[in-house]
Amino acid sequence: MRTRNRILFISILIILIGLLGGFSLIRHAHTPDFINLYFDSNLISLYIEPFFFILTTAEMVWLNPIRNYAIIRNQNHKILTKLIALIILNWLLLYTSLLLPFMFLNKPFFILGKINDGIFIVLIHIFIVLILSLLLIKVYESSNPYFLLFLVILIITTYHFSIEKRILLPLYSQFFDPLWRAKHHIYG
């Protein structure tokens, strides 16, 4: 019963973090473009997603003591299947709660650039977070889970600053090109 309460607590915490992050992004927005709000700002990639990875790792660490009992009873595969489902559910809760505040604005999603490019940026980012969170299942079997957590946070941060901000966002719109912004005196 304690395990269910912990899982429910973490799920509610993920929803609250997503809603608070979404409302915070909208409140401090200069333009109502979805890509500008969610992917040009650093709030999601530097704070919300690493906190999500920490919560996911905490769930796996809490469930690690039952691993030996699951192996003895040949239930390890069943436990891993449930963990995959739990991670996917938490991932869906996070991104649904992040999107809800923007949907309340009743504005178009992609204003500054092409819709196809915007959808590609969103899908690739969400897919990478899903893959990295599924990678955290190894924490359940690991004796040193914190190295894997550090690696996952490092990968998402590197992706955000190296690929997303430097390559993908300028392809979406010239508004995200640093040279164009400097020329038009747009900072921040």
Side-chain angles (χ1 to χ4, degrees), residues 30-48:
H30 301 298
T31 60
D33 183 67
F34 182 76
I35 298 294
N36 187 33
L37 289 176
Y38 283 81
F39 296 103
D40 188 41
S41 74
N42 298 327
L43 179 69
I44 291 179
S45 292
L46 288 182
Y47 300 106
I48 293 175

Side-chain angles (χ1 to χ4, degrees), residues 66-111:
I66 67 168
R67 185 178 69 118
N68 292 335
Y69 300 115
I71 290 172
I72 290 171
R73 294 184 179 137
N74 291 330
Q75 298 292 316
N76 202 32
H77 180 69
K78 187 177 180 181
I79 297 285
L80 288 174
T81 305
K82 287 187 179 192
L83 289 178
I84 290 171
L86 178 66
I87 287 175
I88 291 173
L89 175 70
N90 285 344
W91 172 78
L92 283 172
L93 288 174
L94 175 71
Y95 283 104
T96 303
S97 61
L98 274 171
L99 287 175
L100 279 177
F102 189 81
M103 290 181 187
F104 288 136
L105 284 179
N106 200 17
K107 300 212 182 239
F109 272 67
F110 307 106
I111 298 170

Side-chain angles (χ1 to χ4, degrees), residues 118-129:
I119 290 172
F120 175 74
I121 290 170
V122 170
L123 290 179
I124 196 82
H125 184 91
I126 290 174
F127 181 73
I128 287 173
V129 171

Side-chain angles (χ1 to χ4, degrees), residues 5 7 19-20 27 30 63 66 75 82 85 89 95 111 124 135 148 171 179 185:
N5 290 341
I7 289 172
L19 287 173
L20 289 174
R27 198 176 101 214
H30 301 298
L63 294 173
I66 67 168
Q75 298 292 316
K82 287 187 179 192
L89 175 70
Y95 283 104
I111 298 170
I124 196 82
L135 185 67
L148 188 60
L171 288 176
L179 192 59
H185 305 291

